[in-house]
Amino acid sequence: VPSSFEVWMSHADHIEELAPGFSRLAETAGGVPAAIENTEKRIWGLQFHPEVVHTSFGTEILSNFLFRVCSCSPNWNLGNWIESMTEEISRKVGEERVICGLSGGVDSSVAAVLTARAIGDRLDCLFVNNGLLRLSEAEEVLEQYEKLNLRVHYVDASEQFLSALSGVTDPERKRKIIGETFIRVFEKAAASFEDAAWLLQGTLYPDVIESGFKGKNASMIKSHHNVGGLPDDMKLKLLEPLRDLFKDEVRTTGRLLGLPEEILSRQPFPGPGLAVRCLGEITPERLETLQGADAIFREEIAKWDKYPEIWQAFAVLLPVKTVGVMGDSRTYSEVAVLRAVESHDGMTADWVRVPYDILDRTARRICNEVPGVNRVALDVTSKPPSTIEWE
């Protein structure tokens, strides 16, 4: 690698003095140690993120460490992983039945097809409408699943979820409630399936990391409804075959399994749905407002030729009202925020420089077509310091 290059360095802490035996390999322009080594103990350390796309030569750094320092063999192959995981699922499940919560997204779809490969017709899939989906999403998802040859059962539990979330504003409580309600709905549905003993979920490695469940020093950023939001007395055993994969690996796995591109190319959508994009109290009226704003933004930005490069694009509804003017009348309505980010694996992200004309059309349409919104803002924050989702 060159002697000087840009890296993504976002830690709040830094090294002031090197421990005995360590020497400095690299430093920032301000003199902060960025890379250190102890050749006697064979320890190397970085104070920046080599794994993110914003670090130049990050892949080369990781490759040098793995193959030149650790002498690892580059034999990781997702095709081999599919075979070994298929065998592991079959061995773990035995003759028991599995039910899967399908969301319409990449993760649960890949998990379902992979598990069906292992256990055949002993997998029953349920698509739960939690009332927190995007506009017309339930109908679109069911149509897509007809192509996968999976046994899918539709459960409309929207009233149950919205009732449980009534009056709740704290984001962590929202996630916990959604996670627990999700499991209760599944346990009730599972009663109609003979010998259902396992719950299949599309949990990924970033979900585990952000929920603080990986390693003794992992701190919680936010609980994920399928990791930290599960009740302790859950009756179903948990099956998470994708738990060690990143999003790009899941998409590659899906292609190897033959999933259609319209499912694999779907942008990530949070498990708690619009609950983490509708800040403050969740009501049917506010959800309808958010659905309208979100649909307009996604429709307009999809016309951009760089849209396929975007990791996520969505709208957020804030519990903040501002004064506006519509026609000759004064309005006092809420604020919608537009969020578009680019990322490789969701662990870090940068905000997308969306063309002004797209933003202009989107803002005008939202204010004119969506009751309850009179102001549109743009989120220009990267991850870190922010997370991709607002809650």
Side-chain angles (χ1 to χ4, degrees), residues 134-302:
R134 290 168 288 198
L135 190 65
S136 304
E137 187 159 28
E139 296 80 6
E140 293 172 2
V141 166
L142 290 172
E143 183 179 342
Q144 287 179 341
Y145 280 134
E146 290 181 1
K147 307 173 184 178
L148 291 181
N149 199 28
L150 295 171
R151 189 158 50 191
V152 181
H153 310 268
Y154 177 70
V155 179
D156 187 355
S158 53
E159 290 187 8
Q160 187 173 342
F161 277 88
L162 294 180
S163 175
L165 290 166
S166 178
V168 178
T169 59
D170 179 74
E172 275 303 302
R173 279 197 64 204
K174 286 182 184 178
R175 288 177 176 271
K176 298 288 186 181
I177 289 170
I178 291 169
E180 182 166 349
T181 305
F182 175 79
I183 294 300
R184 298 310 179 208
V185 168
F186 263 75
E187 287 179 337
K188 183 177 180 181
S192 62
F193 300 106
E194 186 179 355
D195 299 328
W198 294 84
L199 171 62
L200 171 65
Q201 293 201 152
T203 305
L204 304 190
Y205 190 56
D207 301 334
V208 178
I209 293 174
E210 290 193 338
S211 295
F213 280 75
K214 192 70 173 179
K216 63 181 181 179
N217 294 320
S219 60
M220 189 186 79
I221 298 173
K222 58 185 177 183
S223 65
H224 287 256
H225 83 291
N226 54 348
V227 182
L230 301 179
D232 295 332
D233 60 344
M234 184 177 70
K235 298 176 183 178
L236 297 169
K237 292 177 284 187
L238 203 56
L239 184 63
E240 299 175 310
L242 310 181
R243 189 180 177 90
D244 292 326
L245 300 186
F246 287 92
K247 178 71 76 173
D248 59 322
E249 293 173 315
V250 174
R251 285 199 170 102
T252 299
T253 299
R255 291 187 178 96
L256 292 172
L257 290 171
L259 271 74
E261 196 62 35
E262 55 260 41
I263 290 180
L264 296 176
S265 61
R266 282 173 64 91
Q267 293 183 355
F269 187 61
L274 296 182
V276 294
R277 296 177 180 175
C278 186
L279 278 60
E281 184 178 4
I282 298 173
T283 65
E285 294 76 21
R286 296 191 73 229
L287 279 175
E288 185 177 349
T289 297
L290 176 55
Q291 287 174 331
D294 179 76
I296 289 173
F297 182 39
R298 289 187 293 116
E299 178 186 334
E300 290 295 339
I301 200 170

Side-chain angles (χ1 to χ4, degrees), residues 86-100 111-126 149-153 190 193-200 236-237 239:
T86 300
E87 294 175 2
E88 181 177 330
I89 294 170
S90 178
R91 183 173 60 253
K92 180 181 292 186
V93 172
E95 295 302 315
E96 295 177 315
R97 300 192 68 86
V98 178
I99 56 174
C100 173
V113 172
L114 178 64
T115 301
R117 189 174 188 265
I119 66 172
D121 61 4
R122 286 183 289 113
L123 171 67
D124 286 286
C125 300
L126 291 90
N149 199 28
L150 295 171
R151 189 158 50 191
V152 181
H153 310 268
F193 300 106
E194 186 179 355
D195 299 328
W198 294 84
L199 171 62
L200 171 65
L236 297 169
K237 292 177 284 187
L239 184 63

Side-chain angles (χ1 to χ4, degrees), residues 30-48:
V32 176
I36 60 174
E37 71 171 346
N38 184 318
T39 54
E40 182 180 349
K41 295 184 177 180
R42 292 183 59 78
I43 298 175
W44 286 262
L46 301 177
Q47 187 68 1
F48 59 89

